[in-house]
Amino acid sequence: MQPFVDALAELGQAQADTTGFVTLPTWARILERHFPPDLPDPGCTTE
């Protein structure tokens, strides 16, 4: 639950810092920071 709260707080701060709307790239950067994608491990084999 905490990553969601942290992301929401950062998005709220980003909105407060801008005169318009937070742009999609900014949303994506914030969300990736708090919810990084699960990338495959190159050293892991499935065999």
Side-chain angles (χ1 to χ4, degrees):
M1 180 81 159
Q2 191 59 42
F4 177 76
V5 172
D6 293 342
L8 188 59
E10 189 172 344
L11 285 168
Q13 185 59 51
Q15 181 64 48
D17 291 343
T18 186
T19 57
F21 290 101
V22 175
T23 62
L24 187 57
T26 302
W27 274 82
R29 280 193 303 274
I30 291 171
L31 292 176
E32 281 184 351
R33 219 179 353 263
H34 294 280
F35 302 100
D38 292 330
L39 300 176
D41 183 1
C44 180
T45 59
T46 57
E47 296 175 8

